[in-house]
Amino acid sequence: MRCIIVEDQPPAQRILKKFIQDVPTLELVEVFSDGLKAMEFLNTESVDFMFLDIHLPKINGLDFLKSIPEPPQVILTTAFSEYALEGYDLNVVDYLLKPFSFQRFLQAVNKVNAKYEQVIPKNDASHLSEIYVKSSHEHIKVLVKDIYTIASDSDYTEIHLQDKKILSNEPLRHWMQVLGGSQFYQIHKSHIVNTKKIDRISGNLVVLINGAKIPMGRAYKDSFLKNIL
């Protein structure tokens, strides 16, 4: 699993780096000393989870977390226990109170692992010919073959067809669970594409037959290309 550290204290950074290094299934992608730089990174890249300190310069960790439309899984790290309740209200995976042991660190990571496994597509959706998209108070029937992309936009997703788009109340993860395992692949933290609609792949862009250009995120590129090429 790919992770980042958002922590401004060098000693705490060193401990987390060492613990991550000691777990073969973890890959540390970046370390950030403030939330604004981490936010900029997450706008273009995707990770499975992050270790997030609460007391950060410029913007505090909880406000930073609230500002991200689709945050990765989060393990809070702090020396102050009074923020635990607010953290869990934000659906954080775990709350590590400094100083914490390697064993406690592993317990938190295992919780992330369990949640991560839950969002892996469970079914082969190749048999699906149509789906119903919940949009506001309606359920709209959509032919699967007509879908070009599904894009995340803040609190909803957009189902892009040839000549229109449908706003869905469901998150991107829902559509990976429904459609993943067939010709639909997530290629970016904000995009799922129908491989039947691909015209070509150019560098880090997937170009569709309607001319749309969808970026490939670093976290998804290798797996995607391995499966379709």
Side-chain angles (χ1 to χ4, degrees):
M1 295 185 294
R2 290 161 48 87
C3 62
I4 60 173
I5 295 171
V6 188
E7 165 66 66
D8 66 322
Q9 296 297 318
Q13 288 180 0
R14 286 195 293 270
I15 291 171
L16 283 168
K17 286 179 184 178
K18 177 62 169 63
F19 285 177
I20 292 169
Q21 185 179 6
D22 289 341
V23 180
T25 56
L26 298 184
E27 176 191 354
L28 178 59
V29 180
E30 294 284 353
V31 178
F32 300 97
S33 296
D34 67 75
L36 296 181
K37 291 179 181 178
M39 190 182 303
E40 183 179 351
F41 172 84
L42 290 172
N43 282 335
T44 58
E45 299 293 340
S46 179
V47 293
D48 298 311
F49 72 104
M50 62 179 166
F51 294 96
L52 176 62
D53 188 18
I54 292 179
H55 287 272
L56 293 169
K58 299 181 182 177
I59 181 173
N60 102 13
L62 294 178
D63 290 336
F64 159 66
L65 182 54
K66 293 173 186 176
S67 69
I68 307 173
E70 283 197 29
Q73 305 286 341
V74 174
I75 296 176
L76 287 178
T77 62
T78 181
F80 303 94
S81 60
E82 62 265 28
Y83 296 100
L85 183 59
E86 185 176 0
Y88 284 119
D89 286 342
L90 293 171
N91 293 319
V92 302
V93 174
D94 207 343
Y95 189 99
L96 292 178
L97 191 61
K98 301 174 183 175
F100 48 85
S101 66
F102 182 62
Q103 181 180 3
R104 182 67 184 88
F105 168 88
L106 282 179
Q107 289 175 352
V109 169
N110 284 334
K111 289 181 182 179
V112 174
N113 190 45
K115 287 191 172 231
Y116 181 63
E117 289 173 352
Q118 289 172 9
V119 302
I120 294 174
K122 297 178 176 63
N123 301 306
D124 183 348
S126 59
H127 65 285
L128 285 177
S129 60
E130 60 189 42
I131 58 174
Y132 281 84
V133 178
K134 183 180 180 183
S135 181
S136 188
H137 300 295
E138 299 181 310
H139 287 80
I140 303 171
K141 184 170 77 171
V142 173
L143 297 180
V144 171
K145 67 180 180 63
D146 292 341
I147 299 173
Y148 279 71
T149 65
I150 302 174
S152 173
D153 189 350
S154 188
D155 296 327
Y156 55 86
T157 47
E158 298 175 346
I159 314 296
H160 289 259
L161 309 176
Q162 172 63 38
D163 54 357
K164 65 178 180 179
K165 67 181 179 183
I166 300 171
L167 295 184
S168 165
N169 303 103
E170 303 289 356
L172 208 64
R173 288 179 184 173
H174 168 80
W175 296 117
M176 277 306 296
Q177 290 178 318
V178 171
L179 296 170
S182 56
Q183 74 260 30
F184 288 86
Y185 287 87
Q186 186 168 0
I187 64 169
H188 185 275
K189 70 172 185 174
S190 301
H191 294 283
I192 295 170
V193 298
N194 182 352
T195 57
K196 302 293 185 183
K197 302 297 186 182
I198 293 176
D199 178 63
R200 63 188 183 276
I201 297 172
S202 178
N204 288 323
L205 292 176
V206 172
V207 184
L208 305 183
I209 58 177
N210 64 354
K213 297 178 180 179
I214 312 298
M216 285 188 286
R218 186 171 61 183
Y220 302 92
K221 181 177 178 180
D222 290 345
S223 175
F224 171 63
L225 295 180
K226 181 179 178 180
N227 277 287
I228 68 164
L229 296 181

